[in-house]
Amino acid sequence: MTTLEVRDVTKVYKLRSGFRSADLRAVDGVSFRLEPGRTTALVGQSGSGKSTIAKMLMHLERPTSGQILVDGAPVGRGRRAEVAYRSQVQMVFQDPFGSLNPYHSVGHHLERPVRLHHPRLGDTEVRERVLALLRRVRLDPAEDYAQRRPHELSGGQRQRVAIARALAPEPGILVADEPVSMLDVSIRLGVLNLLASLQEEDDLGVLYITHDLATARHFSDEILVMHRGTIVERGPADDVILRPQHDYTKTLRAASPDPERRLAELS
Ligand code: ADP
Ligand code: MG
């Protein structure tokens, strides 16, 4: 089990055009904690800084200031520390098409992380683990799916492969950045329900990034509302949605379809 803490993190991008340069504070003094068995939703409009937070959590970007702590300790440098970090913190991206390599089979995509994080396992055990991962994301018969290539799968099935790959190192934390927004509306709820049951089974701490308030409320314990790089409101999911305090949350709420109706549309 893992606790991940984001402490007063800021990310400034330097923008240059010609001789002029300007600072863009994409993320500005953000703090929150992800704990085992809890889902935290990060909501906000496009451009509010949500993906920048996800990228910093995945070490694809470095914070300009602030700290990211795992179980209370800062993450060390170097390859070994990075592999250890990756075995604790994993991510599912928005685009299930871009995140899988078209030349590799589904089995290959899952074998790599299993071998990386469990270097002592023999071939038979690796194979067993790959098949077990496919069954966990309900891609059954697993032997059949393992042989397929990404283009032979639907968007929803590809996202299930991406979820299986994220689970391969047996992480404690899962970051999901708009995990269903590129999928057909009819299959979104199925993928979100899968994430919810995997979370329960593994006691995962989940960061669910979305602009959809209805699923944020339904699938999360806590909601963080992000606006222009800062968290303007946070609290238990029902409180934030039913009794928003901040004007920006009220605007978001008013601009989004009725949460109950929207959830019904998805099911
Ligand atoms: P969100 O995921 O909420 O839509 P992002 O985190 O992607 O928002 O972007 C936040 C802000 O940072 C936006 O203004 C975006 O244009 C800017 N931004 C994101 N990545 C970069 C980058 N690599 N260089 C410069 N600006 C960036
Ligand atoms: Mg984004």
Side-chain angles (χ1 to χ4, degrees):
M1 290 206 283
T2 311
T3 298
L4 189 127
E5 188 182 345
V6 170
R7 194 183 283 175
D8 200 16
V9 161
T10 292
K11 177 71 191 180
V12 178
Y13 288 115
K14 296 263 176 222
L15 302 179
R16 281 187 193 85
S17 90
F19 293 110
R20 284 185 300 176
S21 79
D23 285 352
L24 175 82
R25 301 181 83 80
V27 172
D28 194 358
V30 164
S31 301
F32 61 87
R33 269 165 91 87
L34 303 177
E35 289 174 23
R38 283 178 64 81
T39 295
T40 302
L42 183 61
V43 305
Q45 283 167 318
S46 173
S48 55
K50 306 182 298 296
S51 291
T52 303
I53 289 182
K55 285 179 204 155
M56 290 190 285
L57 291 179
M58 288 316 292
H59 292 178
L60 300 171
E61 293 281 4
R62 198 184 262 278
T64 308
S65 64
Q67 281 187 304
I68 295 169
L69 306 172
V70 176
D71 295 329
V75 184
R77 301 225 173 163
R79 191 185 130 80
R80 277 181 68 181
E82 191 57 33
V83 171
Y85 182 81
R86 291 292 167 128
S87 74
Q88 291 172 299
V89 182
Q90 279 285 318
M91 179 151 174
V92 176
F93 295 92
Q94 178 174 13
D95 181 4
F97 302 90
S99 63
L100 301 177
N101 184 328
Y103 298 104
H104 289 150
S105 69
V106 165
H108 181 87
H109 278 90
L110 300 181
E111 243 182 79
R112 286 216 346 220
V114 168
R115 286 192 196 279
L116 179 66
H117 293 278
H118 305 282
R120 281 167 227 269
L121 292 182
D123 287 353
T124 315
E125 288 164 298
V126 169
R127 175 98 188 135
E128 279 310 314
R129 279 192 187 234
V130 166
L131 296 177
L133 282 166
L134 287 169
R135 290 186 197 108
R136 287 201 73 193
V137 296
R138 325 277 195 263
L139 291 175
D140 230 345
E143 292 80 359
D144 175 20
Y145 282 100
Q147 287 170 16
R148 296 204 205 172
R149 283 176 203 284
H151 70 266
E152 298 172 295
L153 304 177
S154 70
Q157 289 168 337
R158 282 182 227 204
Q159 201 59 314
R160 284 168 193 262
V161 173
I163 293 167
R165 181 176 56 183
L167 294 181
E170 299 171 44
I173 301 286
L174 188 66
V175 177
D177 188 358
E178 308 259 12
V180 298
S181 58
M182 286 184 71
L183 304 181
D184 281 353
V185 171
S186 61
I187 61 165
R188 287 182 187 175
L189 210 55
V191 173
L192 290 175
N193 279 324
L194 172 68
L195 279 170
S197 50
L198 294 169
Q199 180 215 28
E200 250 189 62
E201 288 163 26
D202 290 4
D203 217 11
L204 295 169
V206 173
L207 183 67
Y208 172 44
I209 299 178
T210 181
H211 57 265
D212 182 35
L213 297 186
T215 58
R217 179 183 168 201
H218 187 73
F219 287 98
S220 313
D221 302 290
E222 187 190 15
I223 293 182
L224 314 173
V225 181
M226 204 166 175
H227 180 47
R228 294 192 185 162
T230 67
I231 292 173
V232 294
E233 180 163 3
R234 66 172 77 206
D238 279 352
D239 288 358
V240 170
I241 300 299
L242 299 178
R243 291 173 288 280
Q245 301 295 308
H246 196 280
D247 281 346
Y248 176 71
T249 315
K250 290 178 190 167
T251 311
L252 266 188
R253 179 77 179 75
S256 68
D258 176 49
E260 301 297 341
R261 215 185 63 225
R262 168 121 177 80
L263 217 55
E265 279 167 9
L266 283 174
S267 43

